[in-house]
Amino acid sequence: MKQWLASLILLVGMASAQTEISFWHSMDGPAERVIAQFASAFNASQRNYRVTPRLIGDYREGETRLLAALRAGGAPVLFQAEILLFPRLVAEGVVLPLDELTNTLPKAFTDDLFEAAWDYGLINNRRYGLPFNTSTPVLFFNENQLRAKGLKVPTNWREFEQAAKGLTSRTSKGFIALSESWTFEAQVTSRGGNLVTADGRPNFTSREVVEALEFLQRLGREGSTSVRNLSESFFAQTDFIRTKGMMVMASIANWPAAENASFAFKLGVAPIPREPNGKVPLGGAQLVVLRGASAEQQRGAFEFWRFLMEPQNIKTWVEASYYVPLRKSATPLLEAFYRENPYRKVAFEQVAVAQPRPRVPQFAIWRNYLEEALEKALKGNVPARQALEEAQRKAEAAR
């Protein structure tokens, strides 16, 4: 009895000695369940740390809750920072540099990471972010209707316009346009442009930006598009599922949620149409460790990330979330998954023509002005250049 009691006391003491790693994230659906499984597996694999994941809403809700927690106290140790929030957190000094930890990584490990995703976490040559979920925007389309009307999957914007017109009927639109910054940015970078200049200034009145918005306005005048803003994204998804719209742009990570819906057609997935030398913007988030974390909490957060980066765990993550695999050694493990439905590989193949989103702290604010301009132009019929010039003035004033 005494021996049993002593063992119990020892186990309780060991549990209480664990360093707690609170982890706030924005992954719902199958991805949330996998994160919970990863945390449980990591906690069971060692005795020093205990990771406690918590879903705090989508990226924008998560940003609001984090900023409130930073002001009031109670921020987590580990946070999934959407890629536009990430540089802002770095600029405001609320995340910790991780170079001392990442410098211990073997070269074989860092060489195995896809360079675009690994480099995302660097700002001013210091490591603040650890890659976790990386995505690209893709074009979802109604394959049945595309084939029935003898149309080809569009690879450039001229072909896209032809497809949008050809898919439009009395009861449905060829394209559902979203007045949000990321998918619009894809329409700009795919034309060879950028929303921010090389020296970090807003670039909303550049030729490619104006051209992209005028293009959407023209499709609207021709009756080939419906428009939804970010708060109406659920309705955009419903419109697509109910065949009220035949094409829509979204993250590849939207696919698992879409698969829960009952489609009356075959879902097609294609790269974003591009012009020669066009790019697509990477999306997703970085894991950051917030100011106030102890040295041991920093180490625990890093060890959990190392655990997430094990090839088998990356395989599990990609199959649940459809995000891009981050390590080259994980890609052979996904061959059967991609072979089962070759469309699943579209986002991964786009990485070859992907570029980072603007890593300018102010862009998290500037994109709000851009989205206002998109709304005014696409729903309010304000001329594209006029709406973008107003967004440019507001962005410059907010620098």
Side-chain angles (χ1 to χ4, degrees):
M1 180 68 178
K2 289 183 179 179
Q3 184 177 1
W4 174 84
L5 183 60
S7 298
L8 179 61
I9 292 171
L10 178 62
L11 287 172
V12 170
M14 289 171 62
S16 63
Q18 286 184 316
T19 299
E20 290 289 332
I21 312 295
S22 50
F23 173 31
W24 287 9
H25 67 86
S26 295
M27 299 286 94
D28 60 4
E32 180 187 8
R33 292 192 291 273
V34 170
I35 287 175
Q37 292 166 10
F38 284 154
S40 296
F42 174 74
N43 294 342
S45 71
Q46 45 74 48
R47 297 178 176 179
N48 295 325
Y49 311 107
R50 180 172 183 80
V51 173
T52 307
R54 179 183 173 190
L55 174 65
I56 55 167
D58 64 24
Y59 284 142
R60 299 200 188 196
E61 292 168 336
E63 175 180 343
T64 299
R65 296 183 70 171
L66 176 68
L67 297 178
L70 288 170
R71 288 192 295 269
V77 172
L78 188 63
F79 180 73
Q80 182 193 19
E82 192 268 334
I83 202 62
L84 293 188
L85 176 62
F86 169 59
R88 178 180 169 190
L89 296 178
V90 173
E92 293 178 358
V94 299
V95 298
L96 297 172
L98 302 171
D99 304 86
E100 288 187 12
L101 293 168
T102 57
N103 286 344
T104 65
L105 292 169
K107 187 175 185 299
F109 179 95
T110 54
D111 286 348
D112 191 41
L113 291 163
F114 282 104
E115 187 176 1
W118 181 233
D119 287 350
Y120 234 148
L122 290 172
I123 293 183
N124 297 327
N125 294 318
R126 297 201 72 183
R127 167 74 53 187
Y128 292 94
L130 301 169
F132 173 50
N133 57 304
T134 298
S135 62
T136 65
V138 295
L139 179 68
F140 292 101
F141 62 93
N142 184 319
E143 182 172 317
N144 295 43
Q145 286 298 309
L146 197 79
R147 304 304 180 196
K149 298 196 174 185
L151 299 167
K152 61 182 293 187
V153 177
T155 61
N156 58 46
W157 291 108
R158 180 183 57 80
E159 294 174 353
F160 179 86
E161 184 170 6
Q162 292 171 346
K165 290 178 180 179
L167 289 168
T168 297
S169 67
R170 184 176 56 84
T171 58
S172 63
K173 302 293 186 181
F175 178 55
I176 304 167
L178 300 174
S179 58
E180 64 85 31
S181 63
W182 188 45
T183 52
F184 180 73
E185 182 179 354
Q187 296 170 62
V188 173
T189 58
S190 63
R191 289 174 162 87
N194 284 289
L195 294 178
V196 173
T197 64
D199 59 353
R201 294 180 295 107
N203 198 36
F204 298 160
T205 54
S206 65
R207 177 182 61 81
E208 294 87 357
V209 178
V210 175
E211 180 182 308
L213 187 50
E214 288 179 340
F215 176 84
L216 291 176
Q217 282 192 312
R218 185 170 71 251
L219 288 182
R221 287 193 298 269
E222 294 168 350
S224 300
T225 62
S226 60
V227 181
R228 296 290 192 181
N229 59 34
L230 194 61
S231 65
E232 298 170 327
S233 56
F234 172 79
F235 299 105
Q237 177 180 321
T238 303
D239 289 346
F240 181 66
I241 292 169
R242 294 179 178 174
T243 68
K244 292 183 178 180
M246 296 297 171
M247 298 187 292
V248 66
M249 291 178 192
S251 169
I252 189 65
N254 290 118
W255 194 343
E259 286 189 328
N260 292 329
S262 179
F263 285 93
F265 57 88
K266 184 176 180 181
L267 177 65
V269 186
I272 294 295
R274 289 187 305 112
E275 302 304 327
N277 301 317
K279 301 287 186 180
V280 293
L282 284 174
Q286 292 280 307
L287 296 187
V288 297
V289 177
L290 293 166
R291 185 181 61 208
S294 69
E296 194 59 22
Q297 285 174 322
Q298 294 174 52
R299 167 63 64 179
F302 176 70
E303 291 301 328
F304 179 55
W305 173 77
R306 284 285 306 268
F307 178 81
L308 295 176
M309 291 298 104
E310 292 181 7
Q312 188 62 43
N313 289 339
I314 290 177
K315 173 182 180 291
T316 301
W317 174 244
V318 173
E319 290 178 349
S321 67
Y322 286 41
Y323 280 105
V324 174
L326 296 178
R327 291 185 66 178
K328 299 163 191 172
S329 57
T331 55
L333 305 178
L334 289 159
E335 286 180 359
F337 177 69
Y338 289 142
R339 187 166 55 249
E340 185 179 22
N341 186 338
Y343 282 145
R344 291 172 176 167
K345 204 171 186 180
V346 167
F348 174 59
E349 291 172 337
Q350 273 191 144
V351 170
V353 292
Q355 68 178 39
R357 294 202 74 185
R359 278 176 286 186
V360 177
Q362 299 91 332
F363 189 72
I365 304 299
W366 297 347
R367 59 110 175 258
N368 296 325
Y369 304 137
L370 175 63
E371 289 175 354
E372 289 174 5
L374 299 178
E375 185 88 355
K376 289 176 179 178
L378 299 177
K379 286 192 171 185
N381 295 319
V382 174
R385 181 171 289 280
Q386 178 182 330
L388 291 167
E389 285 174 347
E390 180 182 2
Q392 179 78 12
R393 287 193 298 271
K394 288 180 177 180
E396 288 177 344
R399 290 190 70 196

